[in-house]
Amino acid sequence: MTTAITYIRVSTDEQSHGYSLTDQQDKLNTYCKIKQYQVVEHFSEDHSAKTFDRPTFKKLLSYLKQHKGKINKLVFLKWDRFSRNATEALIMIKQLKTLGVECEAMEQPLDLSIPENKLLLVIYLSTPEIENDRRSMNASNGMRRAMKEGRHCSTAPFGYKYTRDEKNKPLLIPDGHKADLVREAFELYCTGLYDKVQIRKMLAPKGMTLSRSRFATLFDNPIYAGKIVIPALNDEPRQVIDGVHRAIVSEALFQKA
């Protein structure tokens, strides 16, 4: 009888959109019963398939090595459940083959003994990887467009917090007492009487919670002077432009610091 392991995977993001580990397992159990596979173990996880550096998949691989020659099939729903990286997937398929294990996608079955099917396999494996790359590119392009509009596109730095403007877009605004601490830090530093370590110790009892390394970079961040830094990209040079947010310190004070 053919022995099999079932593997199911769903990312945390996919779970929030209604994908279910239980649903996958039910489908695989039914499929294996119809195919008359003896299922000897189940593995499931909620982890990205960009690489095989996944906790559960590592356990699965270890299990297969311990039972080398005793497991015939690794069964999963679709190829994107197995991997979203074509290069790593092809390497893993070969590795599993040395353990006597054949990969089988229930909804995308392929007989890999037929040479032409290897091309279809590459398509199945590459499509989700391309989708990931496109989403990442769209996100990066969107962030760059926002930066060119003068908007900060990551976590609010100490002294700022996010609100929404009249167009419902995220907007940095000074965060009350924290903004006052940033201003005081700049003013103390520009006196030339104290170094950064001393200033951090002076402001800590007032609520300055930045670590030593992060506090040291405070004085190099143009955002506090109302500026946005757009990193160099391809043929575009690095730019520093006026932001849409309000400065905490004047440009003159920032330059002096």
Side-chain angles (χ1 to χ4, degrees), residues 9-219:
R9 183 196 66 78
V10 59
S11 70
T12 302
D13 180 64
E14 287 171 331
Q15 286 188 76
S16 68
H17 287 81
Y19 289 86
S20 168
L21 292 170
T22 303
D23 180 59
Q24 286 187 56
Q25 189 65 69
D26 289 342
K27 289 179 179 178
L28 291 175
N29 287 342
T30 301
Y31 175 78
C32 289
K33 186 175 181 180
I34 293 171
K35 298 282 286 187
Q36 296 186 335
Y37 293 164
Q38 180 186 358
V39 178
V40 296
E41 191 61 83
H42 306 276
F43 290 88
S44 64
E45 66 184 334
D46 54 349
H47 206 278
S48 170
K50 291 181 180 179
T51 73
F52 284 99
D53 187 20
R54 312 171 216 158
T56 298
F57 199 89
K58 288 180 178 179
K59 293 178 182 178
L60 183 157
L61 199 56
S62 177
Y63 181 90
L64 291 176
K65 289 176 180 178
Q66 292 172 12
H67 298 82
K68 183 176 180 180
K70 297 180 181 179
I71 311 298
N72 309 123
K73 299 277 187 178
L74 174 61
V75 186
F76 39 85
L77 196 66
K78 297 171 67 174
W79 284 103
D80 66 353
R81 302 300 89 193
F82 178 67
S83 176
R84 284 179 171 264
N85 184 313
T87 302
E88 289 200 5
L90 292 170
I91 294 171
M92 181 56 68
I93 289 170
K94 286 186 176 181
Q95 183 177 347
L96 293 173
K97 192 173 181 180
T98 64
L99 297 173
V101 180
E102 179 183 349
C103 293
E104 187 168 323
M106 177 188 129
E107 295 183 359
Q108 297 169 327
L110 288 174
D111 182 355
L112 296 181
S113 65
I114 300 173
E116 289 78 9
N117 280 351
K118 293 179 180 178
L119 178 60
L120 189 55
L121 172 63
V122 172
I123 293 173
Y124 282 147
L125 292 171
S126 299
T127 299
E129 183 177 3
I130 291 169
E131 290 173 351
N132 281 343
D133 291 346
R134 173 53 61 186
R135 278 195 295 268
S136 177
M137 183 181 294
N138 289 342
S140 296
N141 290 341
M143 288 178 63
R144 195 165 184 85
R145 284 195 300 271
M147 286 190 288
K148 288 180 177 180
E149 294 175 1
R151 296 183 182 276
H152 185 64
C153 294
S154 56
T155 305
F158 185 89
Y160 281 105
K161 63 181 178 180
Y162 274 112
T163 185
R164 293 277 174 175
D165 63 14
E166 66 278 359
K167 296 181 181 179
N168 200 36
K169 291 185 177 181
L171 176 68
L172 284 180
I173 59 172
D175 187 8
H177 179 61
K178 290 181 179 179
D180 293 338
L181 289 175
V182 170
R183 191 177 301 110
E184 186 176 356
F186 272 89
E187 290 171 348
L188 287 169
Y189 190 56
C190 286
T191 65
L193 300 175
Y194 313 100
D195 62 25
K196 294 175 182 178
V197 174
Q198 291 172 317
I199 295 170
R200 178 173 171 269
K201 288 182 179 179
M202 291 166 65
L203 297 180
K206 297 182 180 182
M208 177 57 75
T209 57
L210 290 176
S211 65
R212 182 180 296 182
S213 59
R214 289 185 63 195
F215 183 78
T217 62
L218 185 85
F219 305 95

